[in-house]
Amino acid sequence: MIPAKFEYRRAGSVDEAIGWLREDPDDAKLLAGGHSLLPLMKLRLATPGVLVDVGRIDGLSYVRDAGDHVAIGALTRHRDLETSEVARAHAPLLARVAAQIGDPQVRHRGTIGGSLAHGDPASDLPAAALAYGATFVAQGPNGTRQIPADEFFLGFLETALQPDEMLTEIRVPKSGGASAFQKFNRRAQDWAIVGVAAVLDGTPRVALVNMGPTPVRARAVEEALASGASAVDAAAHAADGLEPPSDVHASSEYRRHLATVLVRRALEEASAARG
Amino acid sequence: MSATVTERAGGGARGVVGTRMLRREDPALLSGEAQFVHDLSVPGALHLSVVRSPHAHARVLEVDLSAARECPGVVAAFSGRDLLGEWAAPMPCAWPVTADMQTPTHYPVALDEACYVGDAVAVVLAESAAQAQDAAASVSVSYEVLPAAVDLADAASDRVLAHDASETNRAYIWELAPDAAAVERAFAEAAVTVSERYVQQRLIPAAMEPRGVCVVPQPFGGDFTVYSSTQIPHILRTMLGITAGVPEGRLRVVAPSVGGGFGSKLNVYAEELLCLALARRMRRPVRWTEERSEAAQATIQGRGQIQQIELAADAEGHVQAVRVHLVADMGAYLQLVTPGIPILGAFLYHGVYDVPAYSFTCTGVFTNKTPTDAYRGAGRPEATYAIERAMDALARRIGVDPAEVRRRNFIAKDKFPYASSGGLLFDSGDYDAALAGALELADYEGLRAEQAQRRAQGSAKLLGIGLSSYVEMCGLAPSRVLASLNYAAGGWEAATVRMLPTGKVQVVSGSSPHGQGHETSWSMIVADKLGVSPEDVDVLHSDTAVSPFGLDTYGSRSLSVGGTAIAMAADRVVDKARLLAAHRLEVAPEDLDLEAGTFSVRGTPSRAVALGELAFAAFTAHDLPDGMEPNLEAQATYDPENFTFPFGTHVAVVEIDSDTGRVDLVRYVAVDDCGNQVNPLIVEGQVHGGIAQGVAQAMWEEAAYDEAGNILTTSFADYLVPAASELPSFTLGHTVTPSPSNPLGVKGIGEAGTIASTPAVVNAVVDALAHLGVHSMEMPVTPERVWRAVDAARRTPTGGTS
Ligand SMILES: Cc1cc2nc3c(=O)[nH]c(=O)nc-3n(C[C@H](O)[C@H](O)[C@H](O)COP(=O)(O)OP(=O)(O)OC[C@H]3O[C@@H](n4cnc5c(N)ncnc54)[C@H](O)[C@@H]3O)c2cc1C
């Protein structure tokens, strides 16, 4: 529970943070809410030499109506997302998902940027971002670039971010209410054993939590829906092509089964919300 | 029906006993001001870090400490061999249950063979905890990995040996068969037999405060003060003295605030011995605080049994005999009372039922896993689980309601004291009343009707109702009984009550609380005895310098044994004060009445003297009766003649999502009888926590190991301790059947909730699924297990087997 030795630096701006990342690309890590990174450090599963604290950079915590999309600052805490009027009106799935992350302490510390950048397949917000077809804004030494959510999650805890890049904003196309989130866990504060985020505005998009090495879209379900399948029939394809993990909480086989049940429920809930 | 929430139970007419007084312990705990071992500021202390084996079974070939010794802040580093000279004896096991029990030699740091993941192989001492941990990472140990005995049934076969040099994994075979022929006869003649196999998974005790130790050498003379997060400062002092070779009188053991133990701190641990021996060797204070993940390996675990239980019954379901075979997982070594834990349940596998013939056998087996030992209920939850699940199986077999099968078999109210076929004398009970009360509070009829309706409608939400009627033996323990069980100590408890010159009262208790509220309860008992306000009663405990004699806290013993000692000491103070009052008022002692702290002459109430005045008079000693010693103080040591036998019935109601297998506990009713209640608020608190902990075994908790013997559940993300959000509001009721075993008429309540609740929940789950053909279910009842059971039953349309 005592992390290995590290140097702590508090960044006053994104540029300063990126500058430090650049100096030490192999050994420096950004620290936002700390609720994914610090547990790993305490178990000495992560041993960064330099910790660059971006948690106090001004101006990166917001949920704004930006016309055709909602813009969310990377340092926005889960709790602020959960209670944001803008999110509730135009990206309601995100607000609902944020409300089910961990417990109140976690939600008051953890940030959306940290949750996405961590790239944990068991996390909830990445699936919601995939289901919304969000775009991520990353800033690096050479300026900013935009990364579509579909191209962001590359492998287990691995994203398209470069070691000297920082996620600054998440852009979510505005959406009505036709969405649903199904989270299956054994205790209220736990990570999902399996989770499903479904958005039925326009082309149906369905994304899954904890069904493989990355947050992942349920492509087979989406295709079935596109060709007119019912919720029940489409849901039967929930685990097609996926190899979910086996761990102390559930076997791979059970996760595959759960995915079909939860996708069906999510689709039914989302279409009920569409009215 | 007497099963209502009692505002006053068993209290005196005007006293505080029986009232819901708030716990005096809580302000310090809630405000964070209570001091735990880790909070103690000890200048100059060295920090201990323990290097642990990553292998379940391995030969330790070489321990290279050179790199660690070079690390910043490191003062010393030792292997097991380096420390061998520190020990006067190996680590203690106080309960050799049989004469031929196999006891593997167990040192605080392993010498040549590591026998579980977490077994200590080296230690590092540094100026800070961080430095000690950094250095521990650079200790290099070379191992020859050996095959490990991990699975309990496999270990019992001796296919792989847990200790390389031994010939068998068997620690002992312990038998209780007062009339084996009667058991055989009953089975031969039975109209119905039931044979069930259950597995008690291992549990991690998960006290809120992990363990911690700090040993401070005192200047000159070789004395040590040992601060430890322990339930047993007195037993620990004796055992530390014997094992580390320190004269017992040189040791003072203090348990400051202790954040729960649940039996896991009823032990003598390697780290306690290490801190003492290293403080002696280094002549500096040495401290260690356990980490949460470390606790999953280094602190004992609970349960760990394979249970085979058979019932022989007549056609109406009257049980004629119970036969039990246990295989009990000892883990890698015998800790303080490891072998005796299953034996604490040995007498109770026939539960609350009047069963004429009974036999029990337990085989203790070593595995390459963390040692097991006492965990809330210790042996009795396992017994209750087996009999209560088997009674449900019997009910299904003969086609009667589970409540009815219980009623038919209860030990009748008029049979108490009841000599059981296991050889105990059950003190008092009214099992029917508790069952009736629980069924009424739960609206059992209504629940059954709803269940029938849901089944008729083919609802996807399956409703299950589970009962558990229990009796336990607690108030550990009559010393003579302990002798017959070959336990190394007695079971008495000591207390002192003294009045200070100002009339304030000090109570010294030998039992050692760690969350139970002893200070509140003891002050209430003494306040009523002396007629003073509870605020005027201070309670001292958990420090061997303050309370030199005691046998500490476990086995729901504190009130029935320790509380009785306190009541006896208070009575002695009153007796002495009465003599002094008689002397001063110039009357015979028998002519005095004591009320509200004042002695007055019967018939002439104006002639009176207050206890406070008497205390001052006894202190000045200017005018005492001839031969009376100064001061009002009395000591008492109480050795119970019998255990106490709390009982009750719990009802669990679950709802199962048949698509996912998810189980929700939707209602929970408990009617418990712990005899007279000193403080119903504390009783309810104990019941609440106990239920939560027992439900946790049924539904969430399991110390899971992989095939190589690595523990997988080392954090609270994987070891699922439920929170309030997972549990319904409990409905509690009580019946009050005083115990004739002690003058307070009390029985224990610390473990009852844990004992009763586990089978109630699993019975409810099986009840919800039985119509589908599902009759067996292992713990924890995970959604995946339920889904698999339902899925399998659906595939065999004829219905599963039991
Ligand atoms: C008890 C507990 C329960 C939890 N339960 C859930 C749950 O149910 N569902 C769920 O989804 N999550 C859960 N979490 C995780 C929580 O949501 C984390 O807060 C979140 O995953 C990470 O956010 P953070 O701000 O804390 O990131 P940090 O821990 O600070 O950082 C995580 C990683 O992201 C990097 N990083 C952080 N910010 C940026 C950025 N702006 N740009 C680039 N890289 C960045 C860091 O360098 C680090 O590698 C839980 C956490 C805990 C402790």
Side-chain angles (χ1 to χ4, degrees):
Chain A
M1 286 297 144
I2 301 177
K5 205 168 173 163
F6 60 87
E7 189 189 328
Y8 173 86
R9 297 185 199 159
R10 184 183 296 167
S13 68
V14 175
D15 286 335
E16 187 174 31
I18 290 169
W20 283 333
L21 287 181
R22 225 182 150 184
E23 277 174 27
D24 256 316
D26 296 330
D27 208 23
K29 274 247 161 229
L30 297 182
L31 176 75
H35 270 46
S36 289
L37 183 55
L38 293 184
L40 292 179
M41 288 173 62
K42 287 183 171 185
L43 294 170
R44 299 197 175 201
L45 295 172
T47 52
V50 180
L51 218 47
V52 177
D53 187 352
V54 293
R56 302 185 204 209
I57 296 177
D58 284 337
L60 274 184
S61 174
Y62 55 83
V63 183
R64 275 188 211 129
D65 186 335
D68 63 342
H69 67 271
V70 177
I72 304 165
L75 291 178
T76 306
R77 313 255 179 212
H78 305 327
R79 171 71 186 166
D80 294 328
L81 189 56
E82 174 187 346
T83 53
S84 152
E85 288 306 327
V86 174
R88 285 180 179 185
H90 303 298
L93 181 64
L94 278 182
R96 230 173 303 141
V97 167
Q100 292 187 51
I101 294 174
D103 53 35
Q105 278 129 306
V106 174
R107 297 200 284 275
H108 277 89
R109 296 300 306 168
T111 67
I112 185 168
S115 182
L116 297 170
H118 195 54
D120 184 344
S123 285
D124 301 319
L125 286 170
L130 282 174
Y132 269 143
T135 300
F136 304 152
V137 181
Q139 189 171 330
N142 306 318
T144 65
R145 63 176 179 128
Q146 297 191 11
I147 312 170
D150 281 332
E151 293 164 23
F152 188 75
F153 303 105
L154 302 182
F156 184 69
L157 304 187
E158 191 193 334
T159 70
L161 287 175
Q162 295 301 310
D164 56 2
E165 276 183 319
M166 175 170 163
L167 194 58
T168 52
E169 189 175 275
I170 294 89
R171 295 180 182 168
V172 180
K174 278 191 178 171
S175 166
S179 61
F181 183 61
Q182 285 281 332
K183 179 171 180 171
F184 189 89
N185 54 15
R186 291 174 61 197
R187 295 178 307 180
Q189 82 256 31
D190 283 330
W191 272 269
I193 292 174
V194 173
V196 177
V199 176
L200 297 187
D201 279 350
T203 317
R205 290 174 69 101
V206 180
L208 303 172
V209 180
N210 225 349
M211 281 295 288
T214 65
V216 64
R217 277 173 65 188
R219 300 265 183 199
V221 174
E222 293 175 356
E223 281 158 22
L225 288 172
S227 53
S230 69
V232 176
D233 291 341
H237 296 285
D240 284 7
L242 300 178
E243 281 178 31
S246 283
D247 55 33
V248 279
H249 303 301
S251 69
S252 182
E253 187 190 357
Y254 179 58
R255 281 200 163 88
R256 298 174 70 89
H257 166 73
L258 273 184
T260 63
V261 175
L262 299 177
V263 166
R264 172 171 54 76
R265 289 180 181 176
L267 293 176
E268 285 167 357
E269 187 188 327
S271 41
R274 184 166 52 190
Chain B
M1 198 266 301
S2 50
T4 49
V5 175
T6 33
E7 289 299 323
R8 295 181 65 87
R14 264 179 298 270
V16 288
V17 167
T19 64
R20 307 171 65 86
M21 224 173 80
L22 292 180
R23 295 185 356 145
R24 61 164 66 180
E25 291 86 349
D26 288 342
L29 292 169
L30 294 174
S31 64
E33 285 179 35
Q35 294 270 302
F36 298 84
V37 172
H38 188 76
D39 298 320
L40 302 174
S41 156
V42 179
L46 291 171
H47 295 258
L48 173 75
S49 180
V50 180
V51 180
R52 301 183 184 279
S53 169
H55 305 293
H57 196 190
R59 227 182 299 285
V60 178
L61 301 177
E62 201 199 334
V63 180
D64 181 355
L65 299 163
S66 51
R69 287 189 175 121
E70 297 306 311
C71 288
V74 170
V75 173
F78 302 103
S79 69
R81 289 248 160 243
D82 297 337
L83 295 177
L84 192 53
E86 301 290 338
W87 316 123
M91 299 218 352
C93 172
W95 202 341
V97 292
T98 60
D100 62 351
M101 184 176 81
Q102 184 187 179
T103 309
T105 307
H106 183 197
Y107 285 110
V109 181
L111 304 181
D112 307 313
E113 189 182 353
C115 291
Y116 65 98
V117 172
D119 207 355
V121 292
V123 295
V124 175
L125 287 174
E127 299 290 348
S128 76
Q131 287 170 329
Q133 278 201 11
D134 286 345
S138 30
V139 171
S140 139
V141 183
S142 38
Y143 297 97
E144 177 194 339
V145 178
L146 300 171
V150 178
D151 175 74
L152 177 56
D154 186 45
S157 78
D158 282 344
R159 189 184 62 82
V160 173
L161 293 173
H163 292 269
D164 210 26
S166 68
E167 281 159 13
T168 172
N169 289 329
R170 199 179 323 112
Y172 64 83
I173 296 179
W174 192 92
E175 256 190 318
L176 175 69
D179 189 348
V183 175
E184 294 311 316
R185 239 182 356 259
F187 274 92
E189 291 166 5
V192 184
T193 60
V194 167
S195 174
E196 297 269 300
R197 180 185 188 270
Y198 306 124
V199 177
Q200 293 281 335
Q201 78 272 33
R202 280 172 166 252
L203 301 176
I204 294 174
M208 202 181 293
E209 181 207 15
R211 291 187 294 119
V213 196
C214 178
V215 177
V216 184
Q218 298 301 309
F220 308 111
D223 287 10
F224 299 90
T225 302
V226 178
Y227 299 94
S228 184
S229 179
T230 182
Q231 297 172 222
I232 51 161
H234 298 91
I235 297 173
L236 181 61
R237 178 175 61 158
T238 305
M239 292 300 180
L240 287 177
I242 292 171
T243 310
V246 179
E248 192 179 0
R250 296 268 158 94
L251 293 174
R252 172 184 176 194
V253 178
V254 182
S257 286
V258 175
F262 310 115
S264 71
K265 295 174 184 171
L266 155 53
N267 227 307
V268 176
Y269 280 104
E271 296 82 4
E272 289 168 320
L273 284 158
L274 284 165
C275 286
L276 174 59
L278 293 168
R280 174 174 62 188
R281 186 163 174 148
M282 308 305 292
R283 296 166 194 258
R284 286 178 65 177
V286 174
R287 69 190 306 168
W288 171 81
T289 302
E290 186 177 50
E291 305 200 322
R292 184 59 68 185
S293 302
E294 192 175 24
Q297 306 174 351
T299 289
I300 62 93
Q301 296 175 359
R303 318 283 189 256
Q305 294 182 356
I306 298 169
Q307 310 176 298
Q308 189 75 45
I309 181 168
E310 297 165 279
L311 311 184
D314 66 17
E316 284 78 48
H318 296 107
V319 181
Q320 304 301 323
V322 172
R323 184 162 58 197
V324 176
H325 290 276
L326 288 192
V327 177
D329 188 348
M330 306 284 98
Y333 301 104
L334 302 179
Q335 283 276 350
L336 191 63
V337 289
T338 302
I341 298 306
I343 312 310
L344 282 173
F347 306 89
L348 292 174
Y349 278 82
H350 63 74
V352 279
Y353 310 111
D354 195 351
V355 177
Y358 180 66
S359 76
F360 169 95
T361 312
C362 175
T363 307
V365 171
F366 292 107
T367 57
N368 291 113
K369 291 186 284 193
T370 294
T372 59
D373 208 311
Y375 177 60
R376 203 169 188 175
R380 292 151 290 160
E382 296 93 315
T384 305
Y385 182 80
I387 182 63
E388 285 307 286
R389 283 209 56 196
M391 289 303 278
D392 266 29
L394 174 63
R396 279 193 300 274
R397 178 68 60 80
I398 61 171
V400 306
D401 187 273
E404 176 56 23
V405 131
R406 286 173 170 77
R407 263 186 228 114
R408 284 183 194 172
N409 284 286
F410 279 150
I411 299 163
K413 181 182 172 178
D414 57 13
K415 282 204 173 181
F416 291 92
Y418 169 82
S420 78
S421 49
L424 295 177
L425 191 69
F426 288 23
D427 58 353
S428 62
D430 185 353
Y431 302 155
D432 246 328
L435 175 71
L439 295 183
E440 189 179 325
L441 283 176
D443 182 20
Y444 188 66
E445 297 297 317
L447 286 167
R448 286 284 172 216
E450 188 184 339
Q451 183 183 48
Q453 194 188 6
R454 286 202 200 185
R455 284 182 185 172
Q457 291 168 347
S459 165
K461 290 268 182 205
L462 309 171
L463 192 69
I465 306 137
L467 303 183
S468 160
S469 295
Y470 74 98
V471 61
E472 60 142 328
M473 52 185 261
C474 61
L476 304 186
S479 298
R480 287 180 183 169
V481 177
L482 291 178
S484 73
L485 294 173
N486 218 15
Y487 180 67
W492 47 263
E493 194 48 85
T496 302
V497 172
R498 69 172 71 100
M499 295 203 68
L500 302 178
T502 55
K504 305 284 183 199
V505 184
Q506 269 187 341
V507 174
V508 182
S509 170
S511 58
S512 189
H514 39 285
Q516 296 87 347
H518 287 27
E519 291 182 19
T520 305
S521 300
W522 294 183
S523 73
M524 293 168 79
I525 292 171
V526 171
D528 276 11
K529 289 279 184 194
L530 302 184
V532 299
S533 156
E535 285 88 72
D536 287 336
V537 181
D538 278 318
V539 181
L540 310 177
H541 54 80
S542 305
D543 178 344
T544 60
V546 170
S547 72
F549 289 107
L551 283 171
D552 310 314
T553 288
Y554 43 85
S556 303
R557 71 188 302 273
S558 291
L559 178 59
S560 64
V561 188
T564 298
I566 280 161
M568 285 166 59
D571 283 339
R572 288 177 189 173
V573 166
V574 171
D575 290 347
K576 182 171 180 184
R578 179 184 297 274
L579 295 178
L580 182 53
H583 170 74
R584 291 174 57 106
L585 297 170
E586 297 178 327
V587 293
E590 316 76 80
D591 294 335
L592 291 173
D593 287 328
L594 173 64
E595 216 185 307
T598 298
F599 283 104
S600 58
V601 178
R602 198 163 307 132
T604 329
S606 56
R607 289 181 61 204
V609 57
L611 211 56
E613 286 172 58
L614 294 171
F616 196 74
F619 161 71
T620 60
H622 293 172
D623 178 19
L624 299 180
D626 288 343
M628 180 179 275
E629 292 177 7
N631 290 317
L632 287 183
E633 180 188 48
Q635 207 263 339
T637 305
Y638 175 65
D639 195 350
E641 275 173 22
N642 193 4
F643 298 96
T644 70
F645 295 82
F647 61 89
T649 289
H650 289 203
V651 182
V653 183
V654 301
E655 210 170 61
I656 296 180
D657 175 347
S658 57
D659 287 340
T660 61
R662 182 189 179 86
V663 178
D664 279 310
L665 181 63
V666 292
R667 282 200 67 192
Y668 199 93
V669 172
V671 172
D672 295 288
D673 192 321
C674 57
N676 292 334
Q677 299 186 8
V678 171
N679 184 333
L681 190 66
I682 288 182
V683 170
E684 284 167 25
Q686 290 292 317
V687 173
H688 275 242
I691 292 171
Q693 218 156 359
V695 173
Q697 174 173 16
M699 293 180 59
W700 291 285
E701 297 186 13
E702 173 168 27
Y705 286 82
D706 68 13
E707 283 172 9
N710 296 299
I711 180 148
L712 303 173
T713 47
T714 58
S715 82
F716 287 154
D718 291 324
Y719 190 80
L720 305 184
V721 178
S725 45
E726 277 67 60
L727 298 162
S729 227
F730 305 138
T731 307
L732 303 190
H734 298 286
T735 58
V736 177
T737 311
S739 170
S741 307
N742 59 68
L744 296 175
V746 297
K747 302 181 173 187
I749 195 64
E751 296 161 296
T754 318
I755 289 168
S757 55
T758 311
V761 172
V762 181
N763 278 343
V765 171
V766 175
D767 182 66
L769 303 175
H771 67 297
L772 304 174
V774 176
H775 295 147
S776 62
M777 182 55 64
E778 284 190 9
M779 298 187 289
V781 181
T782 62
E784 176 160 0
R785 281 206 167 111
V786 174
W787 168 70
R788 283 186 187 282
V790 171
D791 197 48
R794 276 185 185 147
R795 282 166 210 269
T796 29
T798 47
T801 51
S802 61

